[in-house]
Amino acid sequence: MQLAFRLFLSLTLAAPLFAARDIGTVNVQGDTTVIPITVSSSSAELQNLALTAFNVHGRYKLVASGGAYTCNFTPAGSSQVTVSITKGSSGSPVATETVSGTDLRNALLRAADVAVTKTSGLRGFFAGKLAFVGGRTGKSEIYTSDLFFGNLLKWTSDGKQIVGPRWAPDGSKIIFTSYRTSFPDIYLLELNTRRISLLASFKGTNSGGRFSPDGSRIAMVLSGEGNPEVYVGNAQGRQIHRLTNNQSVEASPCWSPDGSRLLFTSDAAGGPQLYLMSAAGGGMSRLGTNISGYCAEPDWSSADPSKIAFTAKVGRGYQIAVYDMATHASKIVTKAPTDAIEPIWLGDGRHLICSFRASNTSSLYVVDTESGKATRLSPPSLGNAASASYLAR
């Protein structure tokens, strides 16, 4: 059983920290309906950032002129951007809005999100924040940044192996697993003070910490009583109680968007599959993905609660799949050259971020689950990047 648990964790632990290889944009056949859009700005910096943002979005195709919409972004102060949207060749106005941010870069990304909503009806995700494990120093450390790796900050410096950083819903804390001792333990990083405190360090393995949507509870996997099982405690890591109780191995718990259920990986059926249970406890039921004998690392979309992303074994490697709870159907949405792992939904319920992993590299990609377009986010200068967590803003 312990061997199976290590197999689940190997998806996130096996990526070495060497120089990353840029494989560019990957496309998988799917919905290719796009909106041609022209982006402009009087500021070269803002225009480049806007072009970068719209380039990763699967709903849009950037054109120099003649698009269905033209979006102009104008600086309106040190932390404000005005977005003006006109339609087609007629140039008829659609919307004009001045957007504030924490700085000019953040204001541009927020203004671009406004443009997405005005032109497509979709929620924007450009202004969100990332937490991830980076190898810039040759060691695995926790970093945060915006979605396009601006405002990059390093938060740890001890050089110990780190797995699975996850945001608290209010963005004030990050929970993560680290091998600071002989076994993995769960830690809490408070961003305001940079204080790191031990949250769970029981006998055996402690991993998979994840905040509930309201931030009041933490799901985790502990093996102190035998097999790795799913537990839930309060936000301080206390009042911990066991939810699963069986001879199988559980891993990677995540919450339903309303916080009423947990979704996790278990080998109760003989191989890793996805299971659901009430967050209050009770029986667990298998989610019939019907796509692979190996399904792990689930993430439940808060923007579209019918969508669940997960890692599936395909041939000799791993790819990202999406299960639709409305149609009870699954589909593979990536075509990474080797492995695509660790899916995390972005804020629109259509795009996700994941790690593309090869033998000596790991990079973060945005994937449009409708069209299959995959675009690299993490710059080669950062080294390896993996285990992303996204905070909507």
Side-chain angles (χ1 to χ4, degrees):
M1 288 297 186
Q2 291 298 321
L3 177 61
F5 180 57
R6 287 196 295 272
L7 179 61
F8 291 165
L9 286 182
S10 69
L11 286 175
T12 54
L13 300 183
L17 294 171
F18 297 111
R21 178 171 60 95
D22 187 358
I23 63 172
T25 298
V26 177
N27 289 289
V28 176
Q29 186 176 1
D31 178 11
T32 57
T33 304
V34 295
I35 299 172
I37 190 169
T38 301
V39 171
S40 64
S41 176
S42 59
S43 162
E45 181 181 0
L46 293 187
Q47 178 160 346
N48 287 336
L49 182 56
L51 289 170
T52 298
F54 279 97
N55 183 59
V56 307
H57 202 296
R59 191 71 173 91
Y60 295 97
K61 177 183 178 181
L62 288 165
V63 294
S65 61
Y69 297 94
T70 296
C71 298
N72 181 262
F73 298 94
T74 304
S78 60
S79 58
Q80 289 186 315
V81 169
T82 298
V83 55
S84 299
I85 307 167
T86 56
K87 190 170 184 179
S89 58
S90 68
S92 58
V94 174
T96 298
E97 187 170 331
T98 298
V99 183
S100 298
T102 55
D103 55 25
L104 194 60
R105 179 183 178 93
N106 179 251
L108 179 281
L109 295 174
R110 290 178 181 273
D113 281 339
V114 169
V116 167
T117 301
K118 297 292 186 182
T119 58
S120 71
L122 298 173
R123 297 185 188 183
F125 60 82
F126 298 147
K129 294 183 67 175
L130 294 180
F132 61 96
V133 177
R136 191 178 195 176
T137 64
K139 303 288 186 179
S140 64
E141 306 288 0
I142 293 177
Y143 291 80
T144 60
S145 69
D146 65 31
L147 186 62
F148 303 100
F149 291 84
N151 300 321
L152 183 71
L153 294 172
K154 182 166 73 76
W155 293 93
T156 58
S157 300
D158 56 16
K160 302 298 183 180
Q161 191 171 30
I162 292 172
V163 182
R166 302 293 187 192
W167 287 103
D170 65 359
S172 67
K173 298 179 285 290
I174 294 172
I175 192 171
F176 64 97
T177 300
S178 180
Y179 284 69
R180 295 185 170 202
T181 61
S182 299
F183 291 93
D185 293 322
I186 300 174
Y187 293 84
L188 190 67
L189 166 64
E190 298 176 53
L191 301 186
N192 288 340
T193 62
R194 303 188 73 96
R195 178 173 178 264
I196 296 175
S197 56
L198 186 60
L199 201 71
S201 182
F202 300 100
K203 178 183 177 182
T205 57
N206 309 269
S207 66
R210 194 146 181 181
F211 281 99
S212 61
D214 66 0
S216 66
R217 294 166 291 169
I218 295 172
M220 64 194 83
V221 173
L222 310 176
S223 69
E225 297 183 85
N227 295 325
E229 305 278 6
V230 177
Y231 290 73
V232 169
N234 64 21
Q236 291 72 45
R238 301 185 180 90
Q239 300 175 6
I240 296 174
H241 61 281
R242 182 174 176 172
L243 293 189
T244 59
N245 191 354
N246 50 53
Q247 295 302 307
S248 56
V249 174
E250 279 70 60
S252 307
C254 72
W255 297 83
S256 63
D258 64 1
S260 67
R261 290 181 286 176
L262 286 166
L263 175 65
F264 53 91
T265 306
S266 175
D267 68 353
Q273 293 294 322
L274 305 185
Y275 286 79
L276 282 165
M277 73 181 306
S278 168
M284 65 185 206
S285 59
R286 182 174 170 180
L287 192 69
T289 55
N290 299 317
I291 201 168
S292 173
Y294 189 112
C295 301
E297 300 181 321
D299 190 56
W300 204 324
S301 172
S302 59
D304 183 352
S306 69
K307 300 293 179 62
I308 291 169
F310 58 97
T311 300
K313 186 170 177 60
V314 179
R316 295 184 177 182
Y318 299 92
Q319 299 294 340
I320 305 304
V322 171
Y323 177 77
D324 189 324
M325 298 189 74
T327 62
H328 306 289
S330 300
K331 65 176 181 178
I332 301 296
V333 297
T334 59
K335 197 175 181 180
T338 50
D339 295 330
I341 59 174
E342 304 171 328
I344 293 292
W345 286 103
L346 297 180
D348 66 345
R350 171 170 172 155
H351 294 77
L352 56 80
I353 187 169
C354 67
S355 304
F356 273 31
R357 184 186 67 177
S359 57
N360 293 326
T361 67
S362 181
S363 306
L364 296 178
Y365 276 69
V366 165
V367 175
D368 175 19
T369 63
E370 295 295 326
S371 69
K373 178 183 178 182
T375 306
R376 180 171 173 165
L377 281 181
S378 55
S381 60
L382 186 64
N384 270 29
S387 290
S389 179
Y390 175 80
L391 179 67
R393 280 298 192 227

